[in-house]
Every structure is written in C-alpha cells, then in structure tokens.
PDB file of all heavy atoms in Angstrom:
ATOM      1  N   ILE A   1     101.905 335.958 139.387  1.00  0.00           N
ATOM      2  CA  ILE A   1     102.280 334.954 140.486  1.00  0.00           C
ATOM      3  C   ILE A   1     103.299 335.542 141.461  1.00  0.00           C
ATOM      4  O   ILE A   1     104.129 336.366 141.105  1.00  0.00           O
ATOM      5  CB  ILE A   1     102.995 333.798 139.790  1.00  0.00           C
ATOM      6  CG1 ILE A   1     102.001 333.120 138.765  1.00  0.00           C
ATOM      7  CG2 ILE A   1     103.355 332.721 140.812  1.00  0.00           C
ATOM      8  CD1 ILE A   1     100.836 332.530 139.336  1.00  0.00           C
ATOM      9  N   GLY A   2     103.146 335.172 142.677  1.00  0.00           N
ATOM     10  CA  GLY A   2     104.068 335.587 143.765  1.00  0.00           C
ATOM     11  C   GLY A   2     104.499 334.446 144.639  1.00  0.00           C
ATOM     12  O   GLY A   2     103.745 333.510 144.741  1.00  0.00           O
ATOM     13  N   TRP A   3     105.677 334.556 145.191  1.00  0.00           N
ATOM     14  CA  TRP A   3     106.086 333.628 146.224  1.00  0.00           C
ATOM     15  C   TRP A   3     106.137 334.434 147.498  1.00  0.00           C
ATOM     16  O   TRP A   3     106.700 335.566 147.555  1.00  0.00           O
ATOM     17  CB  TRP A   3     107.490 333.078 145.917  1.00  0.00           C
ATOM     18  CG  TRP A   3     107.540 331.998 144.935  1.00  0.00           C
ATOM     19  CD1 TRP A   3     107.874 332.147 143.608  1.00  0.00           C
ATOM     20  CD2 TRP A   3     107.302 330.653 145.120  1.00  0.00           C
ATOM     21  NE1 TRP A   3     107.803 330.907 142.990  1.00  0.00           N
ATOM     22  CE2 TRP A   3     107.489 329.920 143.921  1.00  0.00           C
ATOM     23  CE3 TRP A   3     106.985 329.870 146.282  1.00  0.00           C
ATOM     24  CZ2 TRP A   3     107.379 328.636 143.735  1.00  0.00           C
ATOM     25  CZ3 TRP A   3     106.830 328.497 146.067  1.00  0.00           C
ATOM     26  CH2 TRP A   3     107.001 327.882 144.864  1.00  0.00           C
ATOM     27  N   PHE A   4     105.713 333.882 148.598  1.00  0.00           N
ATOM     28  CA  PHE A   4     105.687 334.461 149.876  1.00  0.00           C
ATOM     29  C   PHE A   4     106.243 333.435 150.896  1.00  0.00           C
ATOM     30  O   PHE A   4     106.302 332.213 150.582  1.00  0.00           O
ATOM     31  CB  PHE A   4     104.301 334.864 150.308  1.00  0.00           C
ATOM     32  CG  PHE A   4     103.693 335.967 149.456  1.00  0.00           C
ATOM     33  CD1 PHE A   4     103.144 335.638 148.260  1.00  0.00           C
ATOM     34  CD2 PHE A   4     103.848 337.284 149.761  1.00  0.00           C
ATOM     35  CE1 PHE A   4     102.620 336.622 147.423  1.00  0.00           C
ATOM     36  CE2 PHE A   4     103.261 338.277 148.983  1.00  0.00           C
ATOM     37  CZ  PHE A   4     102.688 337.915 147.786  1.00  0.00           C
ATOM     38  N   ARG A   5     106.561 333.898 152.108  1.00  0.00           N
ATOM     39  CA  ARG A   5     107.121 332.933 153.103  1.00  0.00           C
ATOM     40  C   ARG A   5     106.654 333.406 154.450  1.00  0.00           C
ATOM     41  O   ARG A   5     106.350 334.575 154.665  1.00  0.00           O
ATOM     42  CB  ARG A   5     108.569 332.784 153.074  1.00  0.00           C
ATOM     43  CG  ARG A   5     109.371 334.036 153.416  1.00  0.00           C
ATOM     44  CD  ARG A   5     110.857 333.818 153.173  1.00  0.00           C
ATOM     45  NE  ARG A   5     111.640 335.009 153.671  1.00  0.00           N
ATOM     46  CZ  ARG A   5     112.949 335.113 153.373  1.00  0.00           C
ATOM     47  NH1 ARG A   5     113.667 334.124 152.790  1.00  0.00           N
ATOM     48  NH2 ARG A   5     113.565 336.203 153.793  1.00  0.00           N
ATOM     49  N   GLN A   6     106.514 332.329 155.394  1.00  0.00           N
ATOM     50  CA  GLN A   6     106.118 332.650 156.645  1.00  0.00           C
ATOM     51  C   GLN A   6     106.960 331.797 157.600  1.00  0.00           C
ATOM     52  O   GLN A   6     106.826 330.617 157.613  1.00  0.00           O
ATOM     53  CB  GLN A   6     104.626 332.451 156.909  1.00  0.00           C
ATOM     54  CG  GLN A   6     104.113 332.841 158.216  1.00  0.00           C
ATOM     55  CD  GLN A   6     102.584 332.895 158.271  1.00  0.00           C
ATOM     56  OE1 GLN A   6     101.906 332.292 157.528  1.00  0.00           O
ATOM     57  NE2 GLN A   6     101.983 333.603 159.262  1.00  0.00           N
ATOM     58  N   ALA A   7     107.772 332.544 158.440  1.00  0.00           N
ATOM     59  CA  ALA A   7     108.544 331.887 159.437  1.00  0.00           C
ATOM     60  C   ALA A   7     107.703 331.733 160.752  1.00  0.00           C
ATOM     61  O   ALA A   7     106.740 332.480 160.922  1.00  0.00           O
ATOM     62  CB  ALA A   7     109.855 332.674 159.691  1.00  0.00           C
ATOM     63  N   LEU A   8     108.034 330.827 161.552  1.00  0.00           N
ATOM     64  CA  LEU A   8     107.324 330.546 162.743  1.00  0.00           C
ATOM     65  C   LEU A   8     107.240 331.788 163.611  1.00  0.00           C
ATOM     66  O   LEU A   8     108.260 332.427 163.928  1.00  0.00           O
ATOM     67  CB  LEU A   8     107.977 329.444 163.529  1.00  0.00           C
ATOM     68  CG  LEU A   8     107.202 328.801 164.697  1.00  0.00           C
ATOM     69  CD1 LEU A   8     105.922 328.189 164.183  1.00  0.00           C
ATOM     70  CD2 LEU A   8     107.980 327.815 165.469  1.00  0.00           C
ATOM     71  N   GLY A   9     106.022 332.166 164.009  1.00  0.00           N
ATOM     72  CA  GLY A   9     105.770 333.362 164.784  1.00  0.00           C
ATOM     73  C   GLY A   9     105.863 334.656 164.080  1.00  0.00           C
ATOM     74  O   GLY A   9     105.638 335.763 164.660  1.00  0.00           O
ATOM     75  N   ASN A  10     105.992 334.630 162.796  1.00  0.00           N
ATOM     76  CA  ASN A  10     106.156 335.894 162.011  1.00  0.00           C
ATOM     77  C   ASN A  10     104.884 335.958 161.051  1.00  0.00           C
ATOM     78  O   ASN A  10     104.184 334.993 160.741  1.00  0.00           O
ATOM     79  CB  ASN A  10     107.396 335.921 161.154  1.00  0.00           C
ATOM     80  CG  ASN A  10     108.656 336.094 162.016  1.00  0.00           C
ATOM     81  OD1 ASN A  10     108.534 336.268 163.275  1.00  0.00           O
ATOM     82  ND2 ASN A  10     109.727 336.146 161.332  1.00  0.00           N
ATOM     83  N   GLU A  11     104.745 337.132 160.522  1.00  0.00           N
ATOM     84  CA  GLU A  11     103.716 337.360 159.542  1.00  0.00           C
ATOM     85  C   GLU A  11     104.238 336.907 158.170  1.00  0.00           C
ATOM     86  O   GLU A  11     105.483 336.776 157.919  1.00  0.00           O
ATOM     87  CB  GLU A  11     103.319 338.834 159.398  1.00  0.00           C
ATOM     88  CG  GLU A  11     102.643 339.391 160.671  1.00  0.00           C
ATOM     89  CD  GLU A  11     102.160 340.743 160.513  1.00  0.00           C
ATOM     90  OE1 GLU A  11     102.436 341.445 159.436  1.00  0.00           O
ATOM     91  OE2 GLU A  11     101.453 341.308 161.423  1.00  0.00           O
ATOM     92  N   ARG A  12     103.284 336.634 157.261  1.00  0.00           N
ATOM     93  CA  ARG A  12     103.690 336.219 155.884  1.00  0.00           C
ATOM     94  C   ARG A  12     104.318 337.382 155.207  1.00  0.00           C
ATOM     95  O   ARG A  12     103.826 338.544 155.275  1.00  0.00           O
ATOM     96  CB  ARG A  12     102.412 335.807 155.130  1.00  0.00           C
ATOM     97  CG  ARG A  12     102.682 335.127 153.816  1.00  0.00           C
ATOM     98  CD  ARG A  12     101.453 334.429 153.289  1.00  0.00           C
ATOM     99  NE  ARG A  12     101.068 333.349 154.180  1.00  0.00           N
ATOM    100  CZ  ARG A  12     100.042 332.543 153.909  1.00  0.00           C
ATOM    101  NH1 ARG A  12      99.462 332.641 152.707  1.00  0.00           N
ATOM    102  NH2 ARG A  12      99.732 331.577 154.743  1.00  0.00           N
ATOM    103  N   GLU A  13     105.488 337.107 154.567  1.00  0.00           N
ATOM    104  CA  GLU A  13     106.180 338.232 153.926  1.00  0.00           C
ATOM    105  C   GLU A  13     106.418 337.901 152.459  1.00  0.00           C
ATOM    106  O   GLU A  13     106.514 336.763 152.036  1.00  0.00           O
ATOM    107  CB  GLU A  13     107.546 338.497 154.579  1.00  0.00           C
ATOM    108  CG  GLU A  13     108.597 337.314 154.459  1.00  0.00           C
ATOM    109  CD  GLU A  13     109.888 337.739 155.095  1.00  0.00           C
ATOM    110  OE1 GLU A  13     110.070 338.889 155.491  1.00  0.00           O
ATOM    111  OE2 GLU A  13     110.752 336.832 155.054  1.00  0.00           O
ATOM    112  N   PHE A  14     106.556 338.951 151.598  1.00  0.00           N
ATOM    113  CA  PHE A  14     106.861 338.822 150.198  1.00  0.00           C
ATOM    114  C   PHE A  14     108.269 338.358 149.913  1.00  0.00           C
ATOM    115  O   PHE A  14     109.195 338.763 150.647  1.00  0.00           O
ATOM    116  CB  PHE A  14     106.592 340.266 149.602  1.00  0.00           C
ATOM    117  CG  PHE A  14     107.119 340.313 148.184  1.00  0.00           C
ATOM    118  CD1 PHE A  14     106.499 339.742 147.163  1.00  0.00           C
ATOM    119  CD2 PHE A  14     108.276 341.166 147.944  1.00  0.00           C
ATOM    120  CE1 PHE A  14     107.001 339.847 145.877  1.00  0.00           C
ATOM    121  CE2 PHE A  14     108.730 341.285 146.714  1.00  0.00           C
ATOM    122  CZ  PHE A  14     108.135 340.650 145.659  1.00  0.00           C
ATOM    123  N   VAL A  15     108.337 337.515 148.923  1.00  0.00           N
ATOM    124  CA  VAL A  15     109.673 337.047 148.448  1.00  0.00           C
ATOM    125  C   VAL A  15     109.986 337.473 147.042  1.00  0.00           C
ATOM    126  O   VAL A  15     110.974 338.097 146.748  1.00  0.00           O
ATOM    127  CB  VAL A  15     109.753 335.466 148.585  1.00  0.00           C
ATOM    128  CG1 VAL A  15     111.103 335.034 148.033  1.00  0.00           C
ATOM    129  CG2 VAL A  15     109.571 335.078 149.952  1.00  0.00           C
ATOM    130  N   ALA A  16     109.087 337.153 146.159  1.00  0.00           N
ATOM    131  CA  ALA A  16     109.357 337.449 144.675  1.00  0.00           C
ATOM    132  C   ALA A  16     108.017 337.411 143.984  1.00  0.00           C
ATOM    133  O   ALA A  16     107.106 336.734 144.360  1.00  0.00           O
ATOM    134  CB  ALA A  16     110.347 336.454 144.093  1.00  0.00           C
ATOM    135  N   THR A  17     107.965 338.062 142.853  1.00  0.00           N
ATOM    136  CA  THR A  17     106.806 338.068 142.034  1.00  0.00           C
ATOM    137  C   THR A  17     107.115 338.245 140.522  1.00  0.00           C
ATOM    138  O   THR A  17     108.134 338.873 140.197  1.00  0.00           O
ATOM    139  CB  THR A  17     105.793 339.209 142.408  1.00  0.00           C
ATOM    140  OG1 THR A  17     104.635 339.227 141.516  1.00  0.00           O
ATOM    141  CG2 THR A  17     106.520 340.598 142.345  1.00  0.00           C
ATOM    142  N   THR A  18     106.332 337.602 139.661  1.00  0.00           N
ATOM    143  CA  THR A  18     106.525 337.664 138.242  1.00  0.00           C
ATOM    144  C   THR A  18     105.230 338.098 137.563  1.00  0.00           C
ATOM    145  O   THR A  18     104.133 337.688 137.964  1.00  0.00           O
ATOM    146  CB  THR A  18     107.065 336.360 137.721  1.00  0.00           C
ATOM    147  OG1 THR A  18     107.171 336.438 136.258  1.00  0.00           O
ATOM    148  CG2 THR A  18     106.180 335.264 138.067  1.00  0.00           C
ATOM    149  N   SER A  19     105.365 338.898 136.489  1.00  0.00           N
ATOM    150  CA  SER A  19     104.208 339.360 135.822  1.00  0.00           C
ATOM    151  C   SER A  19     103.670 338.143 134.929  1.00  0.00           C
ATOM    152  O   SER A  19     104.262 337.054 134.890  1.00  0.00           O
ATOM    153  CB  SER A  19     104.623 340.438 134.826  1.00  0.00           C
ATOM    154  OG  SER A  19     105.551 340.054 133.918  1.00  0.00           O
ATOM    155  N   LYS A  20     102.591 338.414 134.275  1.00  0.00           N
ATOM    156  CA  LYS A  20     101.846 337.457 133.566  1.00  0.00           C
ATOM    157  C   LYS A  20     102.710 336.755 132.475  1.00  0.00           C
ATOM    158  O   LYS A  20     102.634 335.481 132.192  1.00  0.00           O
ATOM    159  CB  LYS A  20     100.570 337.985 132.969  1.00  0.00           C
ATOM    160  CG  LYS A  20      99.613 338.463 134.056  1.00  0.00           C
ATOM    161  CD  LYS A  20      98.448 339.180 133.451  1.00  0.00           C
ATOM    162  CE  LYS A  20      97.472 339.713 134.501  1.00  0.00           C
ATOM    163  NZ  LYS A  20      96.293 340.393 133.971  1.00  0.00           N
ATOM    164  N   SER A  21     103.496 337.565 131.832  1.00  0.00           N
ATOM    165  CA  SER A  21     104.336 337.060 130.725  1.00  0.00           C
ATOM    166  C   SER A  21     105.705 336.605 131.224  1.00  0.00           C
ATOM    167  O   SER A  21     106.436 335.874 130.527  1.00  0.00           O
ATOM    168  CB  SER A  21     104.548 338.142 129.714  1.00  0.00           C
ATOM    169  OG  SER A  21     105.377 339.220 130.274  1.00  0.00           O
ATOM    170  N   GLY A  22     106.048 336.927 132.524  1.00  0.00           N
ATOM    171  CA  GLY A  22     107.351 336.689 133.062  1.00  0.00           C
ATOM    172  C   GLY A  22     108.388 337.792 132.698  1.00  0.00           C
ATOM    173  O   GLY A  22     109.540 337.667 133.049  1.00  0.00           O
ATOM    174  N   GLY A  23     107.939 338.781 132.002  1.00  0.00           N
ATOM    175  CA  GLY A  23     108.811 339.874 131.597  1.00  0.00           C
ATOM    176  C   GLY A  23     109.255 340.843 132.673  1.00  0.00           C
ATOM    177  O   GLY A  23     110.262 341.516 132.532  1.00  0.00           O
ATOM    178  N   THR A  24     108.428 340.934 133.732  1.00  0.00           N
ATOM    179  CA  THR A  24     108.688 341.819 134.789  1.00  0.00           C
ATOM    180  C   THR A  24     108.808 341.013 136.117  1.00  0.00           C
ATOM    181  O   THR A  24     107.928 340.151 136.377  1.00  0.00           O
ATOM    182  CB  THR A  24     107.611 342.935 134.953  1.00  0.00           C
ATOM    183  OG1 THR A  24     107.513 343.663 133.755  1.00  0.00           O
ATOM    184  CG2 THR A  24     107.920 343.829 136.120  1.00  0.00           C
ATOM    185  N   ILE A  25     109.833 341.227 136.811  1.00  0.00           N
ATOM    186  CA  ILE A  25     110.144 340.450 138.033  1.00  0.00           C
ATOM    187  C   ILE A  25     110.560 341.477 139.155  1.00  0.00           C
ATOM    188  O   ILE A  25     111.138 342.453 138.836  1.00  0.00           O
ATOM    189  CB  ILE A  25     111.252 339.417 137.746  1.00  0.00           C
ATOM    190  CG1 ILE A  25     110.735 338.290 136.880  1.00  0.00           C
ATOM    191  CG2 ILE A  25     111.750 338.967 139.072  1.00  0.00           C
ATOM    192  CD1 ILE A  25     111.712 337.257 136.443  1.00  0.00           C
ATOM    193  N   TYR A  26     110.176 341.106 140.366  1.00  0.00           N
ATOM    194  CA  TYR A  26     110.484 342.009 141.469  1.00  0.00           C
ATOM    195  C   TYR A  26     110.784 341.109 142.709  1.00  0.00           C
ATOM    196  O   TYR A  26     110.069 340.122 142.901  1.00  0.00           O
ATOM    197  CB  TYR A  26     109.257 342.927 141.741  1.00  0.00           C
ATOM    198  CG  TYR A  26     109.555 343.899 142.944  1.00  0.00           C
ATOM    199  CD1 TYR A  26     110.552 344.890 142.801  1.00  0.00           C
ATOM    200  CD2 TYR A  26     108.768 343.849 144.080  1.00  0.00           C
ATOM    201  CE1 TYR A  26     110.723 345.699 143.867  1.00  0.00           C
ATOM    202  CE2 TYR A  26     108.989 344.729 145.086  1.00  0.00           C
ATOM    203  CZ  TYR A  26     109.949 345.652 145.019  1.00  0.00           C
ATOM    204  OH  TYR A  26     110.218 346.577 146.070  1.00  0.00           O
ATOM    205  N   TYR A  27     111.804 341.470 143.483  1.00  0.00           N
ATOM    206  CA  TYR A  27     112.228 340.662 144.525  1.00  0.00           C
ATOM    207  C   TYR A  27     112.226 341.550 145.836  1.00  0.00           C
ATOM    208  O   TYR A  27     112.485 342.774 145.832  1.00  0.00           O
ATOM    209  CB  TYR A  27     113.680 340.151 144.367  1.00  0.00           C
ATOM    210  CG  TYR A  27     113.843 339.205 143.242  1.00  0.00           C
ATOM    211  CD1 TYR A  27     114.307 339.665 142.013  1.00  0.00           C
ATOM    212  CD2 TYR A  27     113.553 337.898 143.336  1.00  0.00           C
ATOM    213  CE1 TYR A  27     114.510 338.844 140.966  1.00  0.00           C
ATOM    214  CE2 TYR A  27     113.726 336.971 142.269  1.00  0.00           C
ATOM    215  CZ  TYR A  27     114.178 337.494 141.122  1.00  0.00           C
ATOM    216  OH  TYR A  27     114.325 336.606 140.065  1.00  0.00           O
ATOM    217  N   ALA A  28     112.021 340.869 146.998  1.00  0.00           N
ATOM    218  CA  ALA A  28     112.263 341.460 148.243  1.00  0.00           C
ATOM    219  C   ALA A  28     113.799 341.786 148.376  1.00  0.00           C
ATOM    220  O   ALA A  28     114.632 341.042 147.942  1.00  0.00           O
ATOM    221  CB  ALA A  28     111.839 340.573 149.437  1.00  0.00           C
ATOM    222  N   ASP A  29     114.139 342.794 149.171  1.00  0.00           N
ATOM    223  CA  ASP A  29     115.551 343.239 149.324  1.00  0.00           C
ATOM    224  C   ASP A  29     116.369 342.060 149.971  1.00  0.00           C
ATOM    225  O   ASP A  29     117.446 341.847 149.627  1.00  0.00           O
ATOM    226  CB  ASP A  29     115.633 344.423 150.162  1.00  0.00           C
ATOM    227  CG  ASP A  29     115.193 345.689 149.458  1.00  0.00           C
ATOM    228  OD1 ASP A  29     115.050 345.671 148.242  1.00  0.00           O
ATOM    229  OD2 ASP A  29     114.869 346.711 150.157  1.00  0.00           O
ATOM    230  N   SER A  30     115.626 341.271 150.821  1.00  0.00           N
ATOM    231  CA  SER A  30     116.302 340.262 151.600  1.00  0.00           C
ATOM    232  C   SER A  30     116.777 339.107 150.725  1.00  0.00           C
ATOM    233  O   SER A  30     117.630 338.285 151.124  1.00  0.00           O
ATOM    234  CB  SER A  30     115.403 339.694 152.696  1.00  0.00           C
ATOM    235  OG  SER A  30     114.202 339.250 152.118  1.00  0.00           O
ATOM    236  N   VAL A  31     116.236 338.971 149.527  1.00  0.00           N
ATOM    237  CA  VAL A  31     116.525 337.736 148.704  1.00  0.00           C
ATOM    238  C   VAL A  31     117.168 338.174 147.307  1.00  0.00           C
ATOM    239  O   VAL A  31     117.588 337.321 146.609  1.00  0.00           O
ATOM    240  CB  VAL A  31     115.298 336.837 148.431  1.00  0.00           C
ATOM    241  CG1 VAL A  31     114.662 336.481 149.795  1.00  0.00           C
ATOM    242  CG2 VAL A  31     114.255 337.529 147.501  1.00  0.00           C
ATOM    243  N   ARG A  32     117.117 339.447 147.044  1.00  0.00           N
ATOM    244  CA  ARG A  32     117.572 339.950 145.718  1.00  0.00           C
ATOM    245  C   ARG A  32     119.057 339.506 145.510  1.00  0.00           C
ATOM    246  O   ARG A  32     119.872 339.819 146.428  1.00  0.00           O
ATOM    247  CB  ARG A  32     117.425 341.390 145.580  1.00  0.00           C
ATOM    248  CG  ARG A  32     117.765 341.911 144.193  1.00  0.00           C
ATOM    249  CD  ARG A  32     117.404 343.425 143.955  1.00  0.00           C
ATOM    250  NE  ARG A  32     115.932 343.642 144.071  1.00  0.00           N
ATOM    251  CZ  ARG A  32     115.341 344.328 145.097  1.00  0.00           C
ATOM    252  NH1 ARG A  32     116.085 344.839 146.054  1.00  0.00           N
ATOM    253  NH2 ARG A  32     114.083 344.539 145.051  1.00  0.00           N
ATOM    254  N   GLY A  33     119.337 338.959 144.363  1.00  0.00           N
ATOM    255  CA  GLY A  33     120.812 338.532 144.114  1.00  0.00           C
ATOM    256  C   GLY A  33     120.978 337.079 144.510  1.00  0.00           C
ATOM    257  O   GLY A  33     121.989 336.477 144.143  1.00  0.00           O
ATOM    258  N   ARG A  34     120.124 336.483 145.269  1.00  0.00           N
ATOM    259  CA  ARG A  34     120.289 335.125 145.775  1.00  0.00           C
ATOM    260  C   ARG A  34     119.120 334.202 145.182  1.00  0.00           C
ATOM    261  O   ARG A  34     119.383 332.966 144.896  1.00  0.00           O
ATOM    262  CB  ARG A  34     120.255 335.001 147.268  1.00  0.00           C
ATOM    263  CG  ARG A  34     121.337 335.826 147.881  1.00  0.00           C
ATOM    264  CD  ARG A  34     121.340 335.525 149.429  1.00  0.00           C
ATOM    265  NE  ARG A  34     120.147 335.945 150.110  1.00  0.00           N
ATOM    266  CZ  ARG A  34     119.403 335.096 150.823  1.00  0.00           C
ATOM    267  NH1 ARG A  34     119.743 333.749 150.900  1.00  0.00           N
ATOM    268  NH2 ARG A  34     118.263 335.508 151.383  1.00  0.00           N
ATOM    269  N   PHE A  35     117.976 334.729 145.010  1.00  0.00           N
ATOM    270  CA  PHE A  35     116.757 333.999 144.596  1.00  0.00           C
ATOM    271  C   PHE A  35     116.397 334.427 143.189  1.00  0.00           C
ATOM    272  O   PHE A  35     116.665 335.551 142.757  1.00  0.00           O
ATOM    273  CB  PHE A  35     115.541 334.221 145.473  1.00  0.00           C
ATOM    274  CG  PHE A  35     115.591 333.591 146.884  1.00  0.00           C
ATOM    275  CD1 PHE A  35     116.834 333.140 147.366  1.00  0.00           C
ATOM    276  CD2 PHE A  35     114.569 333.497 147.642  1.00  0.00           C
ATOM    277  CE1 PHE A  35     116.909 332.607 148.600  1.00  0.00           C
ATOM    278  CE2 PHE A  35     114.576 333.035 148.947  1.00  0.00           C
ATOM    279  CZ  PHE A  35     115.790 332.511 149.387  1.00  0.00           C
ATOM    280  N   THR A  36     115.924 333.486 142.351  1.00  0.00           N
ATOM    281  CA  THR A  36     115.463 333.738 141.004  1.00  0.00           C
ATOM    282  C   THR A  36     114.088 333.151 140.784  1.00  0.00           C
ATOM    283  O   THR A  36     113.929 331.907 140.974  1.00  0.00           O
ATOM    284  CB  THR A  36     116.479 333.181 139.990  1.00  0.00           C
ATOM    285  OG1 THR A  36     117.746 333.691 140.239  1.00  0.00           O
ATOM    286  CG2 THR A  36     115.999 333.553 138.587  1.00  0.00           C
ATOM    287  N   ILE A  37     113.132 333.959 140.448  1.00  0.00           N
ATOM    288  CA  ILE A  37     111.793 333.460 140.069  1.00  0.00           C
ATOM    289  C   ILE A  37     111.659 333.423 138.524  1.00  0.00           C
ATOM    290  O   ILE A  37     112.212 334.164 137.776  1.00  0.00           O
ATOM    291  CB  ILE A  37     110.688 334.458 140.624  1.00  0.00           C
ATOM    292  CG1 ILE A  37     109.297 333.839 140.461  1.00  0.00           C
ATOM    293  CG2 ILE A  37     110.831 335.845 139.996  1.00  0.00           C
ATOM    294  CD1 ILE A  37     108.202 334.620 141.152  1.00  0.00           C
ATOM    295  N   SER A  38     110.972 332.347 138.083  1.00  0.00           N
ATOM    296  CA  SER A  38     110.767 332.141 136.663  1.00  0.00           C
ATOM    297  C   SER A  38     109.406 331.401 136.473  1.00  0.00           C
ATOM    298  O   SER A  38     108.997 330.782 137.432  1.00  0.00           O
ATOM    299  CB  SER A  38     111.917 331.364 136.014  1.00  0.00           C
ATOM    300  OG  SER A  38     111.995 330.110 136.628  1.00  0.00           O
ATOM    301  N   ARG A  39     108.934 331.499 135.293  1.00  0.00           N
ATOM    302  CA  ARG A  39     107.686 330.794 135.022  1.00  0.00           C
ATOM    303  C   ARG A  39     107.769 330.213 133.562  1.00  0.00           C
ATOM    304  O   ARG A  39     108.439 330.722 132.715  1.00  0.00           O
ATOM    305  CB  ARG A  39     106.454 331.741 135.219  1.00  0.00           C
ATOM    306  CG  ARG A  39     106.353 332.760 134.181  1.00  0.00           C
ATOM    307  CD  ARG A  39     105.247 333.802 134.532  1.00  0.00           C
ATOM    308  NE  ARG A  39     103.952 333.158 134.481  1.00  0.00           N
ATOM    309  CZ  ARG A  39     102.791 333.681 135.007  1.00  0.00           C
ATOM    310  NH1 ARG A  39     102.820 334.819 135.621  1.00  0.00           N
ATOM    311  NH2 ARG A  39     101.658 333.092 134.871  1.00  0.00           N
ATOM    312  N   ASP A  40     107.002 329.053 133.396  1.00  0.00           N
ATOM    313  CA  ASP A  40     106.905 328.528 132.086  1.00  0.00           C
ATOM    314  C   ASP A  40     105.366 328.338 131.835  1.00  0.00           C
ATOM    315  O   ASP A  40     104.673 327.461 132.355  1.00  0.00           O
ATOM    316  CB  ASP A  40     107.563 327.069 132.127  1.00  0.00           C
ATOM    317  CG  ASP A  40     107.487 326.419 130.791  1.00  0.00           C
ATOM    318  OD1 ASP A  40     106.707 326.728 129.958  1.00  0.00           O
ATOM    319  OD2 ASP A  40     108.293 325.480 130.611  1.00  0.00           O
ATOM    320  N   ASN A  41     104.804 329.293 131.138  1.00  0.00           N
ATOM    321  CA  ASN A  41     103.343 329.321 130.916  1.00  0.00           C
ATOM    322  C   ASN A  41     102.865 328.120 130.115  1.00  0.00           C
ATOM    323  O   ASN A  41     101.683 327.677 130.309  1.00  0.00           O
ATOM    324  CB  ASN A  41     102.963 330.636 130.300  1.00  0.00           C
ATOM    325  CG  ASN A  41     102.948 331.758 131.246  1.00  0.00           C
ATOM    326  OD1 ASN A  41     102.937 331.636 132.454  1.00  0.00           O
ATOM    327  ND2 ASN A  41     103.102 332.987 130.692  1.00  0.00           N
TER     328      ASN A  41
END
C-alpha cells in the first residue's frame, strides 16, 4: 500500500508506503518525522 498526493498544477508524488505485513515502511523526505503510515490487515 502507498499514499500519494497531488497538489494543484503538480504531478502526483509519493508520500509513504507500507509492506504487506506492515513491517517495512518508507517515507518521502518531505514528510519523514511528521507523517506515520500504518495498516490493520
């Protein structure tokens, strides 16, 4: 699963992603430390 965002006039950009189990997570530099992705399978 991934979260992406698109601001007006901009291309869609990556925000955060989580692996199938939720054990691996990766963030865009612009949101790291401020955003938290999680999943409840």
Side-chain angles (χ1 to χ4, degrees):
I1 302 296
W3 283 99
F4 296 83
R5 66 187 182 186
Q6 188 167 17
L8 191 64
N10 289 0
E11 293 186 355
R12 192 166 296 187
E13 66 173 358
F14 165 72
V15 175
T17 177
T18 175
S19 62
K20 297 173 183 181
S21 68
T24 302
I25 288 172
Y26 181 64
Y27 297 98
D29 289 344
S30 58
V31 306
R32 187 175 292 116
R34 300 187 298 120
F35 290 12
T36 304
I37 187 173
S38 61
R39 67 188 294 167
D40 185 340
N41 285 340

